[in-house]
Amino acid sequence: MIEQRFHAIHGTTPEAVVRAPGRVNLIGEHTDYNDGFVLPAAIDRSIDFAGRKRADRLVRVHSLDFNAAAEFSLDDIQKDPSKPWSNYIRGVSKYLEEDGHRLSGADIVFGGNVPREAGLSSSAAVEVGTAAFWKNLVGLEADPVYLVKLARKAENQFVGVPCGIMDQFISALGREHHALFLDCRDLTYRHVPLRDDVKIVVCNSGVKRALAQSEYEVRLNQCRQAVALIASTGRAVRSLRDVAPEDLEAARSALSEILFRRARHVVSENHRVLEAVRVLEAGKLERFGELMNASHESLRDDYEVSSKELDVLVELARNQPGVLGARMTGAGFGGCTVNLVRQEAAEAFAEAVRRGYQDTLGLKAEIYICKASQGALGA
Ligand code: GLA
């Protein structure tokens, strides 16, 4: 418990305690930075924060996971390349101060069980957790969506990772027993109930996402180029969100083969999300699973962000009884797969995939049977 860890370090009780979950994306991958649709869920793994005010403007942070400490003054917040884990906290604190919110010096202890570099958004959980922590500690008057945008700005501009808005959004606004359907253009959203008789099972390939950042930027730029070329054929499009499948076919000759495939992933994925939400709300889980499968194929063949390990996990999964759908989740190039599995089959599924992965590739997979959880800034 984070309260006890705080007490062990500081000899007193914390004034503010918050919990920010990691996430798994059910469908809608590489669509958020194309103004598209996503359907993630917050999971029951979180980064937790406990802290107390100090009388000065110093922030002292203790990371349980790194067993290390860092400190900075709220009057001069700089990036610290020697303690990258602290930069998410620095970035969020800096942008809150810059927006005129008056924070207070604080002693903070944080840590949790969202695996790092596994595609489950531990960094978004740290950013959103920091925002939620300040909200509780100093009583910030701030709308959750404003804090989500600020958390993303910290990742994009302070830490320097060009992610979309999905991860921060779901860590903040996830809901127990629900997925969250988000329109990444206007940020309207609604929670979609998940049934108890199916489980979200996450398989961690254990492979760190080595290429993730450079290839992510390549994909981002390819999407922008595709939009510019499609627009040059006379179609009024601002982003791939605006491109219908027929438009893409019609503009095919304006695109290189590779740009066409990149765009086809995003355009088809947006359609899959819209259908996935409809069938989930109608209780048609078999169809939902088929859409997850199709999403994986598109990410593997058209967007080319899967990996051997992820493909093996997906194949193993699809051979198990009770599996409705299986796909890679998150940015790709390692990290995790997400699987929808009938409840009664979930334990056997986990065991079979673990064994199969060991037998096929000689690698260890960690498997988490997840519960959709509450976000850090939800009502
Ligand atoms: C990472 C990014 C998200 C999103 C996914 C891919 O998780 O942080 O914004 O782009 O990749 O869907």
Side-chain angles (χ1 to χ4, degrees):
M1 289 273 276
I2 195 72
E3 290 90 333
Q4 280 144 13
R5 304 300 296 270
F6 184 90
H7 195 276
I9 292 169
H10 292 289
T12 174
T13 50
E15 289 169 345
V17 173
V18 300
R19 197 171 300 278
R23 66 99 184 87
V24 65
N25 190 16
L26 299 179
I27 195 161
E29 216 67 82
H30 289 278
T31 48
D32 63 350
Y33 55 83
N34 288 301
D35 281 352
F37 305 107
V38 294
L39 186 70
I43 59 175
D44 50 337
R45 290 183 160 256
S46 61
I47 305 290
D48 306 335
F49 288 72
R52 279 187 80 85
K53 282 186 198 150
R54 297 169 52 90
D56 54 17
R57 298 270 290 159
L58 193 66
V59 177
R60 294 198 304 170
V61 189
H62 183 100
S63 160
L64 296 170
D65 302 327
F66 289 90
N67 193 22
E71 58 178 60
F72 58 90
S73 161
L74 288 169
D75 297 320
D76 178 28
I77 304 182
Q78 306 287 340
K79 209 167 154 174
D80 182 351
S82 73
K83 288 174 183 155
W85 56 265
S86 71
N87 287 329
Y88 307 102
I89 298 174
R90 291 169 198 264
V92 170
S93 306
K94 182 181 174 85
Y95 294 141
L96 283 170
E97 281 274 333
E98 276 183 9
D99 272 4
H101 298 286
R102 185 80 180 163
L103 307 181
S104 152
D107 288 318
I108 305 174
V109 174
F110 82 108
N113 61 357
V114 186
R116 277 191 301 277
E117 292 175 70
L120 299 177
S121 297
S122 62
S123 24
V126 177
E127 291 149 7
V128 168
T130 303
F133 172 77
W134 287 125
K135 186 171 195 247
N136 279 17
L137 189 75
V138 302
L140 289 185
E141 292 287 332
D143 164 65
V145 175
Y146 158 79
L147 293 174
V148 165
K149 290 188 196 161
L150 188 136
R152 178 192 179 191
K153 179 176 162 193
E155 175 105 28
N156 289 169
Q157 295 178 23
F158 193 83
V159 178
V161 176
C163 63
I165 201 158
M166 167 171 70
D167 305 342
Q168 291 78 13
F169 209 99
I170 184 64
S171 180
L173 288 158
R175 179 178 290 174
E176 256 193 317
H177 309 298
H178 289 73
L180 181 141
F181 170 45
L182 172 66
D183 178 336
C184 298
R185 171 167 277 165
D186 64 12
L187 302 186
T188 52
Y189 63 97
R190 77 171 184 265
H191 293 102
V192 183
L194 294 168
R195 280 175 22 189
D196 282 347
D197 55 346
V198 288
K199 291 279 164 206
I200 299 168
V201 185
V202 172
C203 302
N204 184 349
S205 70
V207 178
K208 304 273 184 205
R209 305 163 305 145
L211 279 171
Q213 195 174 333
S214 56
E215 288 294 323
Y216 190 94
E217 294 191 37
V218 170
R219 296 300 178 284
L220 193 79
N221 288 324
Q222 288 172 330
C223 291
R224 289 192 183 136
Q225 285 169 38
V227 171
L229 290 167
I230 296 166
S232 75
T233 67
R235 281 172 186 75
V237 294
R238 274 194 290 147
S239 67
L240 287 175
R241 152 72 175 276
D242 303 313
V243 178
E246 334 49 283
D247 294 338
L248 184 60
E249 278 304 330
R252 188 168 191 155
S253 60
L255 300 174
S256 66
E257 195 266 336
I258 200 164
L259 289 186
F260 175 75
R261 283 192 290 115
R262 301 299 188 251
R264 183 166 63 186
H265 165 70
V266 176
V267 170
S268 63
E269 185 79 350
N270 275 328
H271 280 256
R272 279 188 288 274
V273 179
L274 295 177
E275 188 184 348
V277 171
R278 275 200 307 276
V279 298
L280 187 58
E281 288 179 331
K284 296 181 182 155
L285 290 178
E286 284 80 8
R287 179 65 190 148
F288 189 90
E290 287 167 17
L291 292 164
M292 290 175 75
N293 293 344
S295 168
H296 184 77
E297 266 76 84
S298 177
L299 287 159
R300 183 190 63 200
D301 302 335
D302 275 353
Y303 218 62
E304 294 180 282
V305 293
S306 189
S307 68
K308 182 175 77 198
E309 294 82 6
L310 294 169
D311 291 343
V312 166
L313 284 173
V314 162
E315 283 312 310
L316 286 166
R318 291 189 189 159
N319 290 330
Q320 306 309 318
V323 175
L324 295 157
R327 57 181 288 274
M328 56 154 276
T329 187
F333 298 102
C336 294
T337 63
V338 58
N339 308 269
L340 204 61
V341 185
R342 294 198 191 281
Q343 181 183 20
E344 64 279 8
E347 287 293 343
F349 168 89
E351 195 39 50
V353 171
R354 203 181 288 119
R355 205 172 334 104
Y357 193 57
Q358 175 77 47
D359 293 347
T360 317
L361 295 178
L363 295 173
K364 287 210 186 321
E366 278 189 24
I367 310 221
Y368 321 118
I369 301 178
C370 295
K371 286 199 184 75
S373 301
Q374 193 66 21
L377 293 167

